[in-house]
Amino acid sequence: LKTEALQLVEQAEDAKALQDVKVQYLGKKGPITEVLRGMGKLSAEERPVIGQLANEVRESIQGAIEEKQARFEKEALEKQLSEETIDVTMPGRPEPAGGPHLLTKIIEDMEDLFIGMGFNVAEGPEVEQDYYNFEALNLPKGHPARDMQDSFYITEELLLRTHTSSVQARTMENSEGKGPVKIICPGVVYRRDTDDATHSHQFTQAEGLYVDKHVRMSDLKGVLNEFAKHMFGDERDIRLRPSFFPFTEPSVEMDISCKVCGGEGCSVCKGTGWIEILGAGMVHPNVLEMAGYDSKEYTGFAFGIGVERIAMLKYGIEDIRHFYTNDVRFLNQFHKA
Ligand code: PHE
């Protein structure tokens, strides 16, 4: 019986098989229990002999089982440990990293460029007084040009600014001692437009302003030429066309030469060879006077750049709504741009 049991212990390949052997030989219905239970029927001489033998057998089977059990436990632990080992040489999983939005990058690039030309960066409120958005820019109440920029009014005197030119009016007014002002003001503006591929009720502008003694149109052209070449490449030409803005006189619109084709059937410039990119002009004397400058002594130029428009032309983006819907597949393309 002992040999048989020990052999089975030896053969047991897992904890379950071992348990079966234990139940079979040492359990309540097992042969040893049976022998011990039958002791009462034995004679006084037989009892100690059989009892000792049965106990011996039980102990040795029990011992073998425990030994084997301990081995199984040790093996299981070792297996678990080896499976859980951390391989420090394994390459790490890259965590997706965010980055600045394309519009932010373009604004920062523009700021760097203009700071290099001696401009400061200025900011102003998005909820603006009618005075700074219109009146101080030579757009008095009832002026027909106010129709050009349908606006979000909050009260009769407060609105969401329709252009960053409001910062121009504020900065000139605040200029202590009425000395020179040379600023670039990037920011968000709002207009009552129905959103489509090229219109958005909210977009980004960067206005530039330089007021000093003897500022001339040629200075404006020089600065804008720098800007165009920096943004679109040295091979680009610029041209100024007469235009109208109430706050500048004369006013111009600037085109850059169309690199894509310049020829007929071109979707970018419609075959004209030129693409309009911004509005500009010499600060209107009324605007200077309203801000407290003597327009006989001081002159200035201003320009207004649509940041989305620059980005769309530079990267061939066909829908302005891509900038705001924040699909990462769109945004990720410009991480290294
Ligand atoms: N404020 C004008 C606009 O929003 C742009 C502009 C700025 C034009 C400065 C001339 C001078 O369209």
Side-chain angles (χ1 to χ4, degrees):
L1 182 77
K2 182 177 153 189
T3 329
E4 195 184 283
L6 290 180
Q7 204 174 352
L8 283 177
V9 170
E10 183 66 29
Q11 284 166 3
E13 277 178 6
D14 54 29
K16 164 89 175 50
L18 200 59
Q19 180 66 18
D20 288 347
V21 178
K22 191 170 167 181
V23 170
Q24 191 184 342
Y25 287 88
L26 305 178
K28 275 184 205 147
K29 290 176 189 152
I32 293 171
T33 314
E34 206 175 300
V35 169
L36 291 170
R37 215 183 272 145
M39 292 283 274
K41 292 181 197 137
L42 298 174
S43 66
E45 301 88 69
E46 280 174 319
R47 222 176 276 164
V49 182
I50 299 290
Q52 201 185 354
L53 187 66
N55 274 329
E56 245 178 57
V57 171
R58 193 186 62 189
E59 271 162 31
S60 70
I61 296 176
Q62 178 111 30
I65 289 176
E66 276 168 12
E67 203 177 293
K68 187 97 186 220
Q69 211 162 21
R71 214 173 81 204
F72 280 150
E73 277 167 20
K74 191 166 162 241
E75 275 172 12
L77 181 66
E78 270 168 11
K79 184 159 171 262
Q80 191 187 359
L81 284 177
S82 76
E83 275 171 3
E84 285 177 5
T85 309
I86 295 166
D87 180 357
V88 292
T89 63
M90 227 157 88
R93 292 192 202 95
E95 286 292 324
H101 194 278
L102 174 59
L103 291 176
T104 308
K105 291 173 94 161
I106 296 215
I107 290 172
E108 282 172 358
D109 181 32
M110 280 169 51
E111 285 179 0
D112 284 349
L113 173 76
F114 285 107
I115 286 170
M117 292 194 273
F119 288 76
N120 290 311
V121 177
E123 283 181 350
E126 287 174 30
V127 177
E128 186 53 284
Q129 296 172 32
D130 179 277
Y131 177 77
Y132 292 110
N133 195 80
F134 290 129
E135 252 178 279
L137 294 166
N138 204 29
L139 277 141
K141 286 207 164 61
H143 190 290
R146 284 192 181 202
D147 285 351
M148 277 168 32
Q149 299 175 342
D150 260 0
S151 324
F152 290 110
Y153 274 91
I154 292 160
T155 67
E156 228 173 83
E157 289 304 321
L158 275 185
L159 74 162
L160 298 180
R161 67 179 177 196
T162 60
H163 49 187
T164 45
S165 305
S166 53
V167 186
Q168 170 189 148
R170 282 177 173 275
T171 311
M172 284 195 292
E173 188 184 84
N174 288 337
S175 156
E176 268 183 52
K178 298 297 165 216
V181 168
K182 203 171 182 184
I183 51 164
I184 169 113
C185 2
V188 175
V189 302
Y190 303 85
R191 291 185 197 176
R192 285 181 55 162
D193 261 328
T194 306
D195 292 0
D196 63 21
T198 52
H199 295 83
S200 172
H201 63 282
Q202 173 191 326
F203 59 101
T204 320
Q205 274 194 339
E207 165 124 353
L209 171 73
Y210 178 30
V211 174
D212 204 343
K213 294 172 182 169
H214 317 299
V215 176
R216 292 167 304 186
M217 189 108 181
S218 52
D219 299 318
L220 171 64
K221 195 171 175 186
V223 165
L224 292 182
N225 190 39
E226 262 327 294
F227 168 72
K229 299 218 146 94
H230 174 81
M231 274 295 160
F232 297 101
D234 277 344
E235 71 282 8
R236 301 286 192 140
D237 291 324
I238 63 162
R239 78 174 182 189
L240 302 180
R241 280 180 294 104
S243 184
F244 173 79
F245 299 102
F247 31 88
T248 47
E249 180 59 38
S251 302
V252 293
E253 269 168 323
M254 182 172 98
D255 300 336
I256 56 167
S257 56
C258 178
K259 188 177 73 173
V260 181
C261 56
E264 292 208 5
C266 167
S267 62
V268 181
C269 66
K270 301 179 186 77
T272 62
W274 296 94
I275 314 157
E276 180 199 322
I277 65 163
L278 56 82
M282 301 306 291
V283 182
H284 196 291
N286 288 356
V287 174
L288 288 168
E289 295 286 342
M290 262 184 285
Y293 278 91
D294 180 351
S295 64
K296 283 182 210 69
E297 200 181 353
Y298 279 88
T299 51
F301 67 68
F303 55 88
I305 299 168
V307 181
E308 283 84 350
R309 183 162 172 75
I310 299 294
M312 288 168 87
L313 288 171
K314 191 171 161 91
Y315 296 108
I317 299 160
E318 79 292 352
D319 195 321
I320 195 169
R321 289 167 292 197
H322 285 316
F323 292 111
Y324 316 116
T325 42
N326 286 335
D327 184 331
V328 286
R329 289 168 300 183
F330 169 76
L331 298 175
N332 279 342
Q333 300 175 77
F334 306 103
H335 263 191
K336 293 192 189 65

